Amino acid sequence: MTEARVCVGCGAVLQSEDERMPGYVPESHRDREDVLCRRCFRIRHYGEFAPVVVDEATYQRQVGAIFDRPGLVLYVVDVFDLAGSLIPSARRFVASSDVVVVVNKVDLLPADVEYEALADWIRDEVRASGVEPVDVAFVSAEKRRGVPRLADRVAREVHRPVYVIGMANVGKSTLLNAMIEQLSERKQPFTVSRRPGTTLAMSSVHIQGPYGEVELVDTPGLMYTSRVIERLCGDCLKWVVPRTRLRPRVYQLNPGQALFLGGFVRLETIGGERQSVVLYVANDLPVHRTKRERADAFFAEHRFDLLKVPCEACADAFNDTRTWLLASPPRRDADFSLGKRGADIVLPGLGWVAWTGRRTLARIEAPAWLKLSSRPRLVGVLAHRRPPSHGGDER
């Protein structure tokens, strides 16, 4: 039986029968070397993308093969959305392999982030999901930062495959392309897109590196609706997904004030002292401050103009909200208790908010499905490293 040929970009089986289905390529192109399906060709050359969701059963069947053929697994996560980057079932198929957690998009982080603290937090989160990493590597696949060192490590894996796994849109294919360029003259064998869901199936290439031949395997991305990125249209994503290094935005909040992060999150200070709250969110995300007693009216009036996102078409996915209580000093009924050094409150897919350890009582309202968490501050105490203050008109 003739082995089915696959698209070198997304891994879909090539076919010439139905233009609407994955893997379509004109019959006249099927015998070419390194064939791209029409979908991948249009993504690469025209930036056009048709979203495709890989269902969990298919994902388990394809990626589960790693367990039977172990190797080095590069577990790519998005530094901006770690909670949304963790694959719930990863422990089932990586248990027999060595796992390196590759933290991508670090070029977006503030310059003074404490990487040791970040690495410790990431290890703890990955271990809590059932995966024991042997190392944590920081890279920017797009900017090629950290790629040479990682590529050299991969180049030494001549006796076992190297898999790249991760949720959709964490930068798996971009990382592979960067490493391949580092190790050989072959350019862009995988399809890359700014939207989730690009790689449809397992797709591998063999590279002749400095220590011998290496097999690199790209895997499909799994999409879950509990991620912000998968509930927004393309226009909304432009406001939420950071494209440049985050600029810390500092707000001085008195008790009785509210701060809106777009139409996604509302922070309200109920009591305590005046607070310096630092926002690490996309530079384009609108942020507005108002008095707490006017917050409901402000939201109702300005949800789709001043706050901009989510737009009316996307808003329904964010209507079901819940409230988290934040307190310093700690109290039993608080969801998040702050120590003397304060803490980061992580908003998966949106960024994080740094709070000081000053006496405070605050509430955070956000979509109920968003998995908020806390961690030690990744950027030093404000008294030692104070970013420029961001004013912002109170409305």
Side-chain angles (χ1 to χ4, degrees):
M1 180 179 293
T2 303
E3 184 177 352
R5 296 191 65 194
V6 299
C7 169
V8 297
C10 67
V13 175
L14 295 174
Q15 53 89 16
S16 301
E17 290 74 39
D18 191 340
E19 296 185 23
R20 300 168 298 177
M21 299 298 292
Y24 175 80
V25 64
E27 185 69 38
S28 58
H29 293 185
R30 291 187 64 173
D31 293 331
R32 296 181 180 181
E33 184 179 358
D34 290 347
V35 180
L36 286 173
C37 69
R38 174 174 289 182
R39 173 176 171 274
C40 288
F41 182 87
R42 298 196 71 83
I43 291 174
R44 181 168 299 183
H45 294 285
Y46 302 109
E48 297 178 2
F49 181 82
V52 176
V53 176
V54 179
D55 65 87
E56 189 167 4
T58 301
Y59 184 84
Q60 293 283 354
R61 185 169 59 253
Q62 293 177 349
V63 182
I66 296 175
F67 184 84
D68 298 320
R69 189 170 176 248
L72 177 67
V73 173
L74 303 183
Y75 190 170
V76 186
V77 299
D78 185 344
V79 71
F80 205 63
D81 186 9
L82 180 62
S85 299
L86 298 179
I87 303 171
S89 56
R91 64 185 182 277
R92 300 177 187 173
F93 51 83
V94 303
S96 57
S97 297
D98 292 328
V99 179
V100 174
V101 178
V102 181
V103 186
N104 193 23
K105 307 180 185 179
V106 295
D107 56 300
L108 302 176
L109 292 175
D112 52 356
V113 71
E114 296 179 1
Y115 280 93
E116 185 175 346
L118 178 59
D120 289 343
W121 176 67
I122 289 172
R123 284 192 188 93
D124 290 343
E125 293 295 305
V126 174
R127 284 170 180 155
S129 72
V131 175
E132 184 64 40
V134 298
D135 200 4
V136 175
F138 294 98
V139 304
S140 169
E142 185 173 340
K143 303 293 185 182
R144 304 305 193 252
R145 176 179 169 183
V147 170
R149 177 180 294 183
L150 185 62
D152 183 70
R153 181 171 190 163
V154 167
R156 299 174 188 274
E157 298 290 336
V158 296
H159 300 298
R160 58 179 181 171
V162 178
Y163 300 96
V164 182
I165 69 170
M167 297 290 285
N169 210 42
V170 295
K172 301 182 305 299
S173 296
T174 304
L175 177 64
L176 271 168
N177 289 326
M179 290 193 298
I180 289 169
E181 289 179 16
Q182 185 74 30
L183 296 173
S184 74
E185 296 181 355
R186 185 170 183 173
K187 304 295 184 183
Q188 299 288 319
F190 296 102
T191 295
V192 180
S193 171
R194 290 183 62 85
R195 296 292 301 278
T198 304
T199 304
L200 301 182
M202 302 271 276
S203 183
S204 65
V205 292
H206 292 261
I207 298 297
Q208 189 63 41
Y211 310 106
E213 186 176 87
V214 178
E215 180 185 2
L216 295 175
V217 184
D218 193 14
T219 63
L222 179 63
M223 293 201 287
Y224 281 153
T225 56
S226 59
R227 299 170 69 198
V228 170
I229 192 173
E230 286 155 20
R231 298 191 177 211
L232 295 175
C233 65
D235 288 338
C236 286
L237 287 174
K238 295 175 183 177
W239 296 94
V240 173
V241 177
R243 291 170 288 178
T244 56
R245 185 185 297 276
L246 302 184
R247 297 191 302 269
R249 290 190 254 180
V250 182
Y251 286 85
Q252 304 296 329
L253 294 183
N254 293 315
Q257 289 188 309
L259 198 63
F260 285 93
L261 282 63
F264 299 108
V265 178
R266 180 196 304 191
L267 312 178
E268 294 184 354
T269 49
I270 302 170
E273 304 175 43
R274 179 180 173 90
Q275 294 288 321
S276 290
V277 178
V278 189
L279 308 182
Y280 295 92
V281 295
N283 298 328
D284 293 328
L285 183 67
V287 176
H288 288 275
R289 178 172 50 186
T290 188
K291 293 181 178 179
R292 189 180 175 212
E293 64 265 23
R294 293 165 52 187
D296 288 341
F298 177 86
F299 182 75
E301 182 178 355
H302 297 295
R303 182 178 187 182
F304 301 120
D305 50 29
L306 292 178
L307 298 179
K308 295 187 183 299
V309 284
C311 67
E312 292 187 61
C314 299
D316 285 349
F318 298 86
N319 285 337
D320 183 19
T321 64
R322 63 156 288 191
T323 299
W324 289 260
L325 190 66
L326 182 149
S328 178
R331 46 187 279 179
R332 290 184 177 181
D333 60 342
D335 297 284
F336 301 115
S337 293
L338 307 183
K340 293 182 179 180
R341 282 182 55 87
D344 288 341
I345 304 301
V346 182
L347 312 170
L350 296 173
W352 72 92
V353 182
W355 292 78
T356 68
R358 289 186 175 183
R359 184 172 59 87
T360 189
L361 183 64
R363 64 190 294 272
I364 304 173
E365 184 179 352
W369 47 264
L370 201 62
K371 299 178 181 179
L372 272 62
S373 62
S374 65
R375 68 185 177 202
R377 296 271 299 277
L378 294 186
V379 178
V381 179
L382 284 177
H384 298 153
R385 301 176 183 172
R386 185 181 299 276
S389 182
H390 188 289
D393 294 334
E394 181 176 295
R395 292 176 178 266

